[in-house]
Amino acid sequence: MKPWIGLSIGLFLTAGSAKAALPEVSVVVDVHRGSWRPIARADLARAVERAVLDELSRAQKLRIRRGGESDYRLSIQAHLLDEAETHTVSVELGPGKKNDLPSLSASRTVTLSKKSRGKMLELIEKSAREATRALVDVATGPLARLAQPNKKGG
């Protein structure tokens, strides 16, 4: 069994009053686990995916595409580290079919040792939300520059 899972997921996140089209991204979720497996792979993928997409929908800066390749790529990586009993989530936004956006990333790590499964999932979701908010903060300028050429007619 491979130590990762890739899920191509998505939905459309749009800003109703935005004049310029939002940049389209495809999302991939990868889960990496060693021998320490306190949470099922599918549950871990679902928790980080839900938290990241929820934060992105609040930010209203990206349009997420279901499946396939898009202009840009959003990679969500979840890592459970055996020895330290920690979880790290990394959220990376970067080029897809277009290369006019730099690679941007944010990550957060939480300690999970001696926690109940429910508390672990809560901490994992919280760290995914924090990493996503940090990514949105660093991506705001580059995403605004992408929208500038589209404003010429409006």
Side-chain angles (χ1 to χ4, degrees):
M1 181 184 304
K2 295 184 180 183
W4 58 270
I5 185 171
L7 302 173
S8 214
I9 49 84
L11 50 100
F12 286 95
L13 306 173
T14 60
S17 62
K19 291 182 181 178
L22 296 174
E24 182 181 80
V25 298
S26 54
V27 176
V28 175
V29 179
D30 290 321
V31 175
H32 304 268
R33 300 181 315 164
S35 60
W36 185 60
R37 297 176 177 197
I39 300 170
R41 178 177 291 159
D43 292 342
L44 186 55
R46 204 172 15 258
V48 295
E49 172 190 330
R50 179 179 49 236
V52 169
L53 293 180
D54 183 51
E55 289 301 318
L56 287 176
S57 69
R58 287 181 187 165
Q60 297 184 348
K61 297 195 182 288
L62 299 171
R63 186 168 40 109
I64 308 277
R65 181 170 186 248
R66 179 179 299 278
E69 211 178 326
S70 294
D71 293 340
Y72 307 101
R73 177 183 163 104
L74 182 74
S75 173
I76 304 167
Q77 296 185 20
H79 299 267
L80 283 173
L81 183 61
D82 296 352
E83 299 81 18
E85 295 185 354
T86 61
H87 174 267
T88 298
V89 62
S90 300
V91 186
E92 302 170 2
L93 175 64
K97 289 193 268 183
K98 291 185 176 181
N99 63 4
D100 55 350
L101 181 70
S103 292
L104 306 164
S105 65
S107 64
R108 295 293 184 270
T109 299
V110 293
T111 301
L112 302 176
S113 62
K114 299 181 183 175
K115 305 277 190 300
S116 68
R117 182 182 179 283
K119 185 64 174 178
M120 286 181 192
L121 284 169
E122 180 184 320
L123 291 170
I124 288 167
E125 285 188 32
K126 181 180 176 189
S127 67
R129 290 176 189 283
E130 290 172 357
T132 304
R133 284 192 295 267
L135 178 67
V136 168
D137 286 347
V138 299
T140 297
L143 290 173
R145 285 189 288 281
L146 289 177
Q148 287 175 350
N150 296 336
K151 292 184 179 180
K152 290 180 180 177

